[in-house]
Amino acid sequence: MRPPPLWLLWLLLYGLGATAPPLDSFSQLAAPQHLNLHLYNDEQILSWAPSPPTNDTRPVVYQVEYKFITGSWNKVKDVNCTDITETKCDFTGGGGLKSFTGLRLVHLRVRAKQGSLTSKWVTSSQFEHYCNVTVGPPKNISVTPGKGSLIIHFSPPFDVTTEVTFEYHVHYWEKTGTQQVSGPFEKNSIVLDDLKSFRVYCLQIETQLIVKNKSNCRPKSSFSNVSCQETTAKDYTRLQVTLILLGISLSLLVLMGACFYLFLKYQSQVKYWFQAPPNIPEQIKEYLKDPEQPILEVLDKDSSPKDDAWDSVSIISSLEKEQDRVLQTL
């Protein structure tokens, strides 16, 4: 027996009120590709590569949905990620942020739409915000030099719930020294003491997010920018400097006193040591210039006759004449 023709089957089906099966719309529009979830501090941004272009001139829009590990798929509340033209969905600051924080397992999925055409859903891998986030460095870091110390103040990278806490490690070093690590610290104020005075120290702060009661959850950490400061003098160093200056002053006073005493005691010898050396007479210098000259002529050449000359000689009176004059007067 031959099978009935196809037109007869079609007539029987549609004649009985049956509807034709819908076309497979998934095969008509390509799905988004390369989903990427950006988790940095409190930022949560899902991005993807657009669907390949088609000959259709209608715009391509995207829809984003989420679900928890034991829930159903839902649209993201308070964040417009339905029928959007851009290829990312920013959950930061919206209702999704409150839903996706903490340690709840979350799935995200995206599909493309173009008019009546729809692509398949593309699902991202599950994530836990506190376990998969990259923790940035502290904010508002200030470093104040102290007496042989550095005082550090800062703010946490972002707000967290009671399920987790921040720990900080300080990596510091002299400009020409080796790196050291201090920590962990839980407070936002840290003092690095026992440092050398008047030395330049550089430091970086590392932030770690510690999830309580979950040792296998270790999110990525990051370092702050390098900050350098010079320490000031310690109290005992200032005292030492004062004592050193006082000792130098006393030593100088003692040395000056000893020098003055020795000068008074050996004054004649000091004068002898510091007196000018004897000069060679000019006649001898002339003779040494020309030794062939007779030495006596050289000595008489420059002798001044004024030294032995007398302008006049007069005798005022003699003792005998004075006595006779006195007797005659009497």
Side-chain angles (χ1 to χ4, degrees):
M1 182 177 180
R2 299 177 63 181
L6 293 176
W7 62 269
L8 182 60
L9 292 176
W10 180 86
L11 181 61
L12 291 174
L13 291 173
Y14 286 94
L16 296 175
T19 59
L23 295 175
D24 186 5
S25 61
F26 295 128
S27 62
Q28 299 179 13
L29 185 64
Q33 302 175 356
H34 309 300
L35 269 64
N36 178 60
L37 182 63
H38 171 75
L39 299 175
Y40 181 80
N41 288 349
D42 56 357
E43 298 176 3
Q44 302 182 46
I45 302 174
L46 178 67
S47 61
W48 56 88
S51 301
T54 63
N55 295 329
D56 196 333
T57 59
R58 291 176 297 179
V60 178
V61 295
Y62 301 94
Q63 297 175 335
V64 180
E65 293 182 351
Y66 78 95
K67 77 168 185 175
F68 298 118
I69 192 67
T70 58
S72 59
W73 291 102
N74 300 283
K75 294 181 179 180
V76 182
K77 298 179 181 179
D78 301 327
V79 176
N80 184 19
C81 289
T82 301
D83 297 336
I84 56 175
T85 57
E86 59 181 348
T87 57
K88 70 175 182 179
C89 179
D90 189 351
F91 307 106
T92 307
L97 175 64
K98 296 179 181 179
S99 300
F100 300 160
T101 54
L103 299 174
R104 304 187 69 178
L105 286 171
V106 183
H107 287 277
L108 296 173
R109 69 178 184 177
V110 184
R111 74 175 178 180
K113 289 182 62 178
Q114 189 176 35
S116 59
L117 304 179
T118 307
S119 73
K120 292 182 179 180
W121 287 101
V122 181
T123 305
S124 68
S125 59
Q126 66 182 18
F127 71 93
E128 294 176 90
H129 180 75
Y130 284 156
C131 293
N132 300 106
V133 67
T134 298
V135 182
K139 299 178 180 178
N140 308 317
I141 299 175
S142 66
V143 182
T144 305
K147 299 175 181 178
S149 63
L150 292 176
I151 304 169
I152 309 168
H153 297 281
F154 51 86
S155 303
F158 59 99
D159 296 331
V160 294
T161 63
T162 57
E163 298 172 303
V164 296
T165 184
F166 285 115
E167 286 187 354
Y168 306 96
H169 292 79
V170 181
H171 301 249
Y172 65 97
W173 63 94
E174 286 189 58
K175 270 201 167 181
T176 57
T178 57
Q179 188 176 108
Q180 303 180 63
V181 181
S182 183
F185 303 98
E186 293 188 0
K187 296 183 178 180
N188 300 343
S189 180
I190 300 173
V191 178
L192 296 178
D193 50 9
D194 295 332
L195 304 180
K196 298 178 182 178
S197 301
F198 304 112
R199 298 292 181 90
V200 176
Y201 284 87
C202 298
L203 59 88
Q204 284 183 297
I205 304 176
E206 179 187 10
T207 309
Q208 291 184 345
L209 186 65
I210 306 301
V211 180
K212 299 177 181 178
N213 303 322
K214 201 167 186 180
S215 58
N216 60 342
C217 185
R218 303 295 294 181
K220 297 178 182 178
S221 60
S222 56
F223 290 84
S224 65
N225 295 329
V226 177
S227 176
C228 298
Q229 289 287 346
E230 181 178 5
T231 59
T232 59
K234 297 180 181 179
D235 290 336
Y236 70 86
T237 304
R238 292 180 178 176
L239 178 61
Q240 288 179 346
V241 171
T242 303
L243 293 176
I244 291 173
L245 293 177
L246 182 61
I248 292 174
S249 301
L250 292 177
S251 300
L252 291 175
L253 291 175
V254 172
L255 181 61
M256 292 174 62
C259 292
F260 184 71
Y261 171 77
L262 293 175
F263 175 76
L264 294 178
K265 184 175 182 180
Y266 301 101
Q267 184 175 2
S268 59
Q269 295 183 13
V270 172
K271 288 182 177 180
Y272 174 77
W273 291 339
F274 289 96
Q275 68 181 357
N279 294 327
I280 301 175
E282 292 296 330
Q283 296 88 343
I284 302 300
K285 290 182 179 179
E286 292 294 332
Y287 173 75
L288 293 176
K289 290 180 181 179
D290 190 7
E292 295 181 357
Q293 299 183 47
I295 184 61
L296 295 178
E297 293 180 2
V298 174
L299 294 175
D300 294 338
K301 180 179 180 180
D302 296 329
S303 62
S304 175
K306 295 181 181 180
D307 295 340
D308 298 331
W310 299 88
D311 292 339
S312 62
V313 178
S314 61
I315 301 176
I316 298 176
S317 63
S318 62
L319 180 59
E320 294 179 354
K321 289 183 179 182
E322 188 66 24
Q323 291 176 354
D324 292 339
R325 190 176 64 80
V326 172
L327 290 176
Q328 289 178 2
T329 303
L330 296 176

